Amino acid sequence: MKVLHSQPSATTCRLAFLYSIACILLCFCAPAPVHAQTVTALWQFCSSGSGCPDKDQPYGPLIQGSDGNFYGTDTGGANNTVLGGAVFQITPGGALSTLYDFGSVVSSGACNGFSGNDGSAPVAGLVQGTDGNFYGVTSTGGCGAGTVFQITKAGTLTTLHRFVGSDGADPLLAGGALLQGADGSFYGTTNLGGTGAGSGTIFKITSGGAFTTIYSFCPAGNFARNGSGCADGAFPYAGLIQGTDGNLYGTTYEGGNLASQNGVSAGTIFRVTPSGVLSTLYSFCQGGGSCTDGAFPGGALVQDTDGNFYGTTQSGGNAVQGGTVFKITPGGSLTTLYAFCQIPVPGENECTDGEAPNGGLIQGTDGNFYGTTLDGGASGYGTIFRITPGGTLTTLYSFCPGGSCANGGKPAVGLVQGTDGSFYGTATVGGSSPVRGTVFKLQLPQVEPTVDWSSPAPIFVGAALGPEQLNATASYHGTPVAGKFAYSPTAGTVLGIGTDQTLSVQFTPTDTTDYAPATATVQITVSPAGPTVVPSTVISTTGSGLTYSRVSKTYTGTVTITNLTNSAIAGPISVSFTGLPTGVTLTNATGTYQGVPYITVSSTSSLGPGQSATVAVQFGDPSNVRITFTPVIYSGSLN
Amino acid sequence: MRTKLSTLAFLVVIAVGAASADTYQVTVSTSSISGEAGSIDLQFNPGSLVTEAATAQIAGFTSDGALVSVSPNNVAIGDVSGTLPGSLSISNADADNEYFEDFDFGNTLSFDVAINGTTGGTSGSVFAFSLFSDPQGTQPVLTADPGGVVFTEAFNTDGTTTATNVSPEAVSSLVVPVSTTPEPGTGVLWAIAIALAGSGLFFRAKWRASAAA
């Protein structure tokens, strides 16, 4: 039996709220059939023995460790007790092991003698530090206001810090985890506490436990919901990310510039320097009483490669208040990409496209964003969705399809994409019992990569196909996809003369789980003959004198070639003007070949025995240097 | 234009000489532009391949027009010696070997040109004569050639020359060689002709004497 220390009331309320959702749903749910998706429960909590030795109710996201396994937290207590929680490891195959049980011992150190002073109720997930250890927070326990801890892969836990209130309290980091900054320190937020109005903090802590509160929200100390408010935000619910500019970005669940918020303290998006200088980028609920721009952001941000930030709000968006997905520039210009509950269920206030996206977003390897909603969907147990950077939303999965919640339901946090391309997450209910939760895996249907293959340049008859022609690549939304390319005709094939001959390729991806085979075709032209240098013993080249034009400032004349042999020389025939003096240009050149200008003398026909062909030449010679060149005669097209 | 071109006339008169190369007497009718202040250009340039040394000799320049001997436009470029209306010698030593002078056109002008040089090489050389209606030499006249050329004489690698009237209306009837380098067979024929002519005179004189007697 765990002894819980006194909790700040707001935290207790929030956790109770989450529990209440689950409890209400037990009575409420009348799930409608949904389309089958490739979602499987890797683990159903409280299913491995009596008394829930694995604990239950995961509210934090997973991370994939450097060893390929996934790591996470849950919040339930063993033997159906309330709170406590654990740190667990689960393999991609679904074998779960508990690394550490919180509140299971009475620890030494600060607040010695308090049961659970090693922490309790880790709502957040973990982050793997560069030292290989995992770092996390508990929302309660310690000295009653939560902890920061380090845990090794072997399960040895070290409590790095115990919050006492003035330095922050209740580090929820909902839907996220601590952030390890570029400086190696860890950064996070607390939902409560601090030196202001107790409206939360931003803190920094080293792996050695050196703790610094770098910012306390609402320093004026006058927060009152829907009242005077905290212009800089209040009650940060989520974690931080570090932008490409080195600053930290996050959200507060409440607060903001009330003067512009229609009286609704709907939360903010902020930027804070690592040293603690905070700037409010945006205050939600600018769009009137229904907060069409969203309200109450509960998840962390994610920064796209374009530099913009993407996130979610739990509420607002439209009259149904289903929440939003938004984009905001580093300068603070916000765009609502999607407002949930565009498809309400008549009479049920449920939304088949999802409702209340609590957990923030992740960006998949395909460039799209993925997230979950706590509510809504076909059965009201939440969804998994994909949204493009442009705002096109696709519901990938609705939990509790067909009335069965074997895969879980009510996902409170976001997803993680495994190295296998599948998405992994946690659900707070469902599994073996409606209130226990699961670890689930979402495997998307195979996608067909794009095979990029440009039509190769024409080749001459006799040339074998090789890497210069057979050079297709495969990608998916710009990300290279590994695999094998089978060409037809194969490399080494010598094609006959002809235009627009088809080359095809069959691409077989290495990752056949996520990618489907793909094909592509291109055309190639095989010209009659390649250029060959005609020996000077075979053909003679003579030239006329050059006349200088005072009008065009050019020299004009002719060059004549003569076939000295008894055999025809195949056309096209060209004269290459090698070794022209510096500054002299062949102004009527047909083109250049290997960097040397040339004129095609006979474009199509051959030059018969003894035949001659004459071509006009025109030189630019601004310096009036003596014009000379060495003629090289080619048989075959130089194009 | 056709009217102008029709007034262009080259008169090349046979004048048997002892020169080792062709000599052309070039006569140009300029009556259609008489009174205009223009310019003339004479040049002799090598080709762009291997070119043996050669020289163009211009002599006998006559005209009822007037050379403008003092003008900032007048220029001699490259290997040029002499001054019109005296003889000019233009060698093909440089890329551009050119004599340019302002000229007030009259009704006609005429000159002789002969080219001597070494045979061989892979490029010939070319003499070109051009007319312009402006003193700066930018407005071709009496020709369709964009560079103003009205006459060329190519010195070929085998030592022969090729004269060309660049104006198509005039070239066939008005350009003929005024002298040729006797080839061995031709020399024999000339000897026979002279002998026949001499014998004819002899027999004519003898016949006249006989008739008088």
Side-chain angles (χ1 to χ4, degrees):
Chain A
M1 184 66 180
K2 297 176 179 61
V3 177
L4 295 178
H5 302 286
S6 61
Q7 303 293 310
S9 59
T11 302
T12 304
C13 290
R14 281 173 178 76
L15 292 174
F17 170 72
L18 295 173
Y19 278 97
S20 66
I21 291 172
C23 295
I24 292 170
L25 285 169
L26 288 176
C27 305
F28 173 77
C29 64
V34 294
H35 297 292
Q37 294 291 333
T38 317
V39 170
T40 54
L42 292 183
W43 186 258
Q44 297 173 318
F45 287 94
C46 276
S47 62
S48 61
S50 61
C52 288
D54 54 345
K55 303 198 175 176
D56 61 2
Q57 300 168 61
Y59 281 95
L62 300 171
I63 66 161
Q64 188 168 30
S66 56
D67 59 358
N69 295 316
F70 295 91
Y71 294 82
T73 61
D74 54 32
T75 61
N79 301 311
N80 294 325
T81 57
V82 294
L83 299 182
V87 176
F88 64 82
Q89 174 202 72
I90 185 168
T91 67
L96 185 140
S97 55
T98 300
L99 295 182
Y100 187 80
D101 279 310
F102 285 102
S104 59
V105 296
V106 176
S107 304
S108 60
C111 303
N112 189 12
F114 283 40
S115 177
N117 77 342
D118 58 344
S120 180
V123 176
L126 303 169
V127 62
Q128 187 170 25
T130 53
D131 60 0
N133 296 317
F134 296 93
Y135 294 81
V137 294
T138 63
S139 61
T140 63
C143 293
T147 67
V148 180
F149 65 85
Q150 173 200 74
I151 186 169
T152 67
K153 286 183 182 178
T156 301
L157 185 134
T158 302
T159 303
L160 298 179
H161 184 73
R162 292 178 174 87
F163 290 95
V164 295
S166 60
D167 58 348
D170 293 19
L172 296 178
L173 302 179
L178 290 169
L179 162 74
Q180 186 170 31
D183 60 356
S185 296
F186 296 89
Y187 293 85
T189 63
T190 64
N191 185 244
L192 299 173
T195 57
S199 303
T201 67
I202 301 170
F203 66 85
K204 166 185 174 181
I205 187 169
T206 67
S207 59
F211 182 91
T212 308
T213 301
I214 64 173
Y215 190 80
S216 287
F217 284 96
C218 212
N222 61 347
F223 177 80
R225 180 172 297 173
N226 297 337
S228 56
C230 298
D232 58 340
F235 308 123
Y237 219 81
L240 303 166
I241 66 165
Q242 189 163 33
T244 53
D245 61 357
N247 293 316
L248 311 177
Y249 291 81
T251 60
T252 63
Y253 192 73
E254 298 182 44
N257 183 2
L258 270 180
S260 65
Q261 290 179 303
N262 299 284
V264 181
S265 177
T268 67
I269 301 170
F270 65 82
R271 173 179 59 227
V272 63
T273 67
S275 60
V277 178
L278 185 136
S279 304
T280 302
L281 296 181
Y282 191 79
S283 293
F284 281 98
C285 209
Q286 304 277 328
S290 60
C291 300
T292 55
D293 58 343
F296 308 118
L301 301 170
V302 60
Q303 188 174 28
D304 192 5
T305 52
D306 62 5
N308 295 317
F309 298 91
Y310 294 77
T312 59
T313 63
Q314 288 186 4
S315 187
N318 54 36
V320 188
Q321 300 287 307
T324 67
V325 177
F326 64 82
K327 174 179 79 173
I328 185 168
T329 67
S333 177
L334 185 136
T335 302
T336 302
L337 296 180
Y338 190 81
F340 285 93
C341 275
Q342 294 185 9
I343 316 171
V345 178
E348 298 187 7
N349 197 29
E350 292 290 350
C351 310
T352 56
D353 59 341
E355 181 181 1
N358 284 5
L361 303 168
I362 66 163
Q363 189 167 30
T365 54
D366 61 358
N368 295 314
F369 297 96
Y370 292 82
T372 63
T373 64
L374 180 70
D375 297 324
S379 302
Y381 276 80
T383 66
I384 302 172
F385 66 85
R386 173 178 61 211
I387 187 167
T388 67
T392 301
L393 185 133
T394 303
T395 302
L396 299 174
Y397 184 72
S398 285
F399 284 94
C400 297
S404 168
C405 289
N407 293 330
K410 294 289 181 181
V413 294
L415 305 166
V416 61
Q417 187 172 25
T419 53
D420 61 355
S422 294
F423 293 88
Y424 295 81
T426 58
T428 59
V429 302
S432 62
S433 177
V435 294
R436 299 308 187 190
T438 64
V439 173
F440 64 82
K441 172 183 179 181
L442 167 68
Q443 183 175 325
L444 295 176
Q446 286 181 325
V447 295
E448 183 173 319
T450 300
V451 177
D452 299 307
W453 193 13
S454 300
S455 290
I459 59 175
F460 299 104
V461 66
L465 294 175
E468 192 172 344
Q469 292 78 37
L470 308 178
N471 55 2
T473 61
S475 63
Y476 187 72
H477 288 276
T479 301
V481 177
K484 292 183 178 179
F485 297 86
Y487 294 96
S488 178
T490 58
T493 301
V494 177
L495 297 175
I497 297 171
T499 59
D500 293 337
Q501 300 186 62
T502 298
L503 306 177
S504 63
V505 64
Q506 170 77 44
F507 173 69
T508 303
T510 303
D511 177 4
T512 55
T513 301
D514 298 310
Y515 297 104
T519 61
T521 60
V522 295
Q523 275 68 47
I524 189 171
T525 294
V526 180
S527 300
T532 56
V533 175
V534 181
S536 58
T537 55
V538 173
I539 200 165
S540 74
T541 307
T542 59
S544 72
L546 299 175
T547 302
Y548 178 73
S549 169
R550 297 178 61 85
V551 178
S552 63
K553 312 298 184 190
T554 59
Y555 289 84
T556 58
T558 60
V559 169
T560 300
I561 59 173
T562 303
N563 182 357
L564 303 177
T565 69
N566 294 324
S567 303
I569 299 173
I573 298 171
S574 301
V575 180
S576 176
F577 291 69
T578 303
L580 284 171
T582 301
V584 175
T585 56
L586 181 66
T587 58
N588 67 330
T590 304
T592 60
Y593 180 69
Q594 297 178 340
V596 178
Y598 70 89
I599 292 178
T600 297
V601 179
S602 172
S603 58
T604 55
S605 60
S606 61
L607 195 64
Q611 283 188 338
S612 297
T614 298
V615 63
V617 294
Q618 184 178 50
F619 297 100
D621 183 13
S623 301
N624 284 335
V625 299
R626 183 73 180 265
I627 299 172
T628 59
F629 74 96
T630 301
V632 178
I633 312 301
Y634 287 96
S635 171
S637 175
L638 301 184
N639 294 325
Chain B
M1 188 64 182
R2 185 174 178 81
T3 303
K4 279 190 173 182
L5 289 175
S6 66
T7 63
L8 172 63
F10 289 87
L11 299 176
V12 182
V13 180
I14 295 177
V16 176
S20 60
D22 295 338
T23 296
Y24 291 86
Q25 184 183 75
V26 181
T27 301
V28 182
S29 172
T30 58
S31 57
S32 63
I33 56 173
S34 178
E36 290 190 17
S39 52
I40 59 174
D41 184 78
L42 303 93
Q43 58 178 269
F44 184 59
N45 296 333
S48 53
L49 296 170
V50 178
T51 307
E52 299 295 338
T55 300
Q57 301 286 345
I58 295 93
F61 185 89
T62 59
S63 176
D64 58 348
L67 289 161
V68 182
S69 58
V70 179
S71 168
N73 300 314
N74 295 350
V75 63
I77 300 170
D79 196 351
V80 179
S81 61
T83 306
L84 292 179
S87 296
L88 290 179
S89 177
I90 309 177
S91 296
N92 66 351
D94 294 333
D96 184 24
N97 308 281
E98 179 183 5
Y99 182 94
F100 178 85
E101 186 166 352
D102 287 353
F103 189 74
D104 295 334
F105 288 104
N107 292 313
T108 185
L109 65 84
S110 177
F111 62 86
D112 296 341
V113 56
I115 302 174
N116 296 287
T118 306
T119 60
T122 52
S123 267
S125 299
V126 63
F127 169 83
F129 178 61
S130 306
L131 301 177
F132 302 95
S133 62
D134 62 323
Q136 290 75 33
T138 62
Q139 302 294 328
V141 68
L142 299 182
T143 179
D145 181 78
V149 176
V150 295
F151 171 81
T152 64
E153 182 179 354
F155 183 71
N156 304 314
T157 56
D158 60 359
T160 62
T161 59
T162 305
T164 303
N165 185 339
V166 180
S167 179
E169 288 82 358
V171 67
S172 60
S173 61
L174 298 177
V175 175
V176 293
V178 296
S179 70
T180 57
T181 302
E183 295 181 5
T186 306
V188 172
L189 292 175
W190 273 107
I192 293 172
I194 292 172
L196 288 175
S199 63
L201 291 173
F202 171 77
F203 284 111
R204 180 175 294 178
K206 189 176 180 180
W207 177 81
R208 283 179 177 172
S210 172

